[in-house]
Amino acid sequence: MNNRCIYITVLCIGLAGASLAQSPASVTPEKANDFTYTLASGKQGTLYALGSEWTLLYFYDPTCEDCHALMERLNASETLNRLMEEKRIRVLAVYPEEDTAVWLEQAEQVPQAWINGYDPGAVIHTEGLYRMTSLPALYLLDRDKNIRLKTASADEVEKELKHIGNK
């Protein structure tokens, strides 16, 4: 069985535009769609309730090898860890599917400093809240939940985080 996570259906309702990451200075801010996530404890939260200067939104599948590799890379990022220690950024890892048993089995593999939730009812997919052609998918959001990078690569995120860290 191949554990790569590729979605055939392209979901793009609510987020028009290119799927390539773009520099924050080169685009008009686009508001991210709010959604509810559920933690392993059963407690729920919303994207918009996260109060931080920056939010790194990480959509993943717990059985996806590429997702685990990206998670390890982000977790090893000195820049990301410094910004998290400074409380300038929060990482919200979200499993956008409904198989909560699979998610719960793997939940402890997500770094403890991250918020790790799943999307009850797979609303992100069914309502097309985010454009994801494959997982993992990264979005960088500012304080007002404007999208600064969408479906970005790890290199693009790291470059932007270094820029943020130098401010």
Side-chain angles (χ1 to χ4, degrees):
M1 179 170 93
N2 185 348
N3 286 332
R4 293 199 184 271
C5 304
I6 299 177
Y7 291 103
I8 303 302
T9 306
V10 176
L11 301 172
C12 58
I13 301 169
L15 290 179
S19 64
L20 299 176
Q22 299 174 347
S23 169
S26 69
V27 295
T28 303
E30 179 181 354
K31 199 76 157 170
N33 290 307
D34 196 14
F35 60 86
T36 299
Y37 58 88
T38 302
L39 303 174
S41 66
K43 182 179 176 184
Q44 292 192 316
T46 66
L47 173 64
Y48 278 24
L50 294 177
S52 61
E53 183 180 351
W54 296 92
T55 302
L56 182 60
L57 185 53
Y58 171 65
F59 292 109
Y60 77 104
D61 182 316
T63 64
C64 167
E65 292 174 13
D66 290 341
C67 298
H68 284 281
L70 178 58
M71 187 182 327
E72 288 174 14
R73 180 172 176 186
L74 292 171
N75 193 40
S77 167
E78 291 178 22
T79 305
L80 177 59
N81 286 311
R82 181 174 48 83
L83 290 171
M84 288 174 60
E85 286 173 13
E86 295 170 358
K87 302 199 183 309
R88 294 185 62 198
I89 192 167
R90 306 275 315 258
V91 179
L92 175 58
V94 178
Y95 172 50
E97 298 294 331
E98 294 185 82
D99 191 348
T100 56
V102 168
W103 173 81
L104 197 53
E105 286 175 14
Q106 305 285 328
E108 290 184 11
Q109 293 185 18
V110 174
Q112 288 188 351
W114 298 10
I115 301 165
N116 182 28
Y118 67 91
D119 173 19
V123 173
I124 292 168
H125 276 244
T126 58
E127 293 187 13
L129 299 181
Y130 287 83
R131 182 178 183 150
M132 291 179 278
T133 56
S134 66
L135 292 177
L138 292 170
Y139 284 76
L140 182 63
L141 314 176
D142 66 17
R143 176 184 318 275
D144 298 319
K145 303 302 184 251
N146 292 314
I147 299 169
R148 297 305 181 165
L149 294 174
K150 68 172 136 178
T151 59
S153 70
D155 289 337
E156 292 165 326
V157 169
E158 185 70 25
K159 180 180 175 184
E160 194 58 36
L161 292 178
K162 286 180 180 178
H163 176 72
I164 290 166
N166 290 330
K167 288 185 179 179

